[in-house]
Amino acid sequence: MQNSWQSFVIPRVFLAALYFLSMATTAAANRIAERKLRDRQARRALIISAARRIAELEGWSSVTIRRLSDEISYSQPVLYTHFGSREEILNAVALEGFGEIGQVLEKARKRARSGNRVESVAAAYMEFAASSPALYEVMFSLSLSVPFGDAATPPELRFAFSQLLELFQEQVSNPEVLSELFWASLHGIAELTRTKRFPRSRQKERLRALVEIFTSTR
């Protein structure tokens, strides 16, 4: 009887040990996978940050795979494991920029909830473009493969545009078109100012006139 009881208990103990060993192994594997993912994300963020830093100081023509490799002490093959080409790096920077401008516009829109939201968003947009000229350039002026106004448009772009759309959503029958025209006007002023076609001395007057136009159309 005793031998029969022992033969029953020992396998159960053995199976329990196997179960906990399996759980521990799985948990360890998950931690390793999570650490690798964090490391990969950190390297990717470092590459993007370096690209932005070089561009702000020297322009986008200086942002090359070779230069980035020297800047952050990663071999070129390592960089290519994160980005297949220079264009992919620029796309990633542009998407980061759209995420940032979306947050800036959202903050400006909510801050002016009881005031002139169009004026607040317009001022925030122009400030973003003026304070980050290289970033703004890669978002709009370089030939990138990031799709606009398409089913494949990334969420960062959709979020940024939604902040403009919110300004006219309830006041007009076709808010998308009015939002696009407002965006086009802001971008035109920002770009012509950045390239020194518009003197900065009349910037306040331009924005005031633009706000009056788009406020009166609502």
Side-chain angles (χ1 to χ4, degrees):
M1 186 70 176
Q2 185 175 6
N3 291 338
S4 176
W5 179 82
Q6 289 176 339
S7 64
F8 175 73
V9 171
I10 292 175
R12 292 192 61 180
V13 172
F14 180 70
L15 289 175
L18 286 178
Y19 171 77
F20 285 113
L21 178 61
S22 174
M23 292 292 291
T25 302
T26 301
N30 289 339
R31 287 195 297 271
I32 293 172
E34 290 172 359
R35 185 176 68 250
K36 287 183 177 180
L37 178 60
R38 288 195 301 269
D39 291 345
R40 182 174 180 82
Q41 291 172 337
R43 287 194 297 269
R44 181 182 174 88
L46 183 61
I47 294 168
I48 293 173
S49 177
R52 291 179 61 166
R53 184 169 60 253
I54 294 170
E56 290 290 351
L57 294 174
E58 304 172 26
W60 286 106
S61 60
S62 297
V63 180
T64 64
I65 298 295
R66 180 186 295 275
R67 177 63 190 281
L68 286 168
S69 176
D70 294 339
E71 182 77 11
I72 60 180
S73 300
Y74 285 173
S75 68
Q76 293 186 43
V78 170
L79 265 68
Y80 279 118
T81 63
H82 294 276
F83 298 98
S85 65
R86 175 180 183 271
E87 182 183 359
E88 286 189 15
I89 297 175
L90 301 190
N91 285 345
V93 173
L95 289 180
E96 189 170 88
F98 279 109
E100 291 178 10
I101 197 173
Q103 293 174 358
V104 167
L105 299 182
E106 180 184 43
K107 183 177 180 180
R109 180 177 59 79
K110 292 182 175 180
R111 183 174 60 240
R113 187 176 297 278
S114 60
N116 192 327
R117 298 190 303 165
V118 174
E119 181 180 13
S120 181
V121 168
Y125 188 103
M126 299 306 299
E127 173 61 26
F128 179 90
S131 63
S132 305
L135 180 60
Y136 191 82
E137 181 185 5
V138 77
M139 290 165 61
F140 293 107
S141 303
L142 300 183
S143 297
L144 302 177
S145 60
V146 179
F148 287 76
D150 186 85
T153 298
E156 293 88 346
L157 275 71
R158 294 181 183 276
F159 174 69
F161 183 71
S162 72
Q163 303 312 310
L164 304 179
L165 190 61
E166 281 289 332
L167 298 175
F168 309 104
Q169 190 73 55
E170 299 177 357
Q171 289 82 6
V172 296
S173 58
N174 200 342
E176 290 83 4
V177 171
L178 195 60
S179 300
E180 290 170 349
L181 292 174
F182 185 53
W183 182 14
S185 301
L186 290 172
H187 174 63
I189 295 173
E191 190 63 11
L192 289 168
T193 303
R194 184 183 69 84
T195 55
K196 297 182 172 57
R197 270 64 172 181
F198 278 179
R200 294 187 180 275
S201 58
R202 291 196 294 271
Q203 194 75 305
K204 289 184 179 180
E205 288 80 0
R206 290 187 202 104
L207 288 182
R208 187 179 303 117
L210 180 67
V211 169
E212 288 177 1
I213 292 171
F214 280 90
T215 301
S216 63
T217 58
R218 294 187 298 165

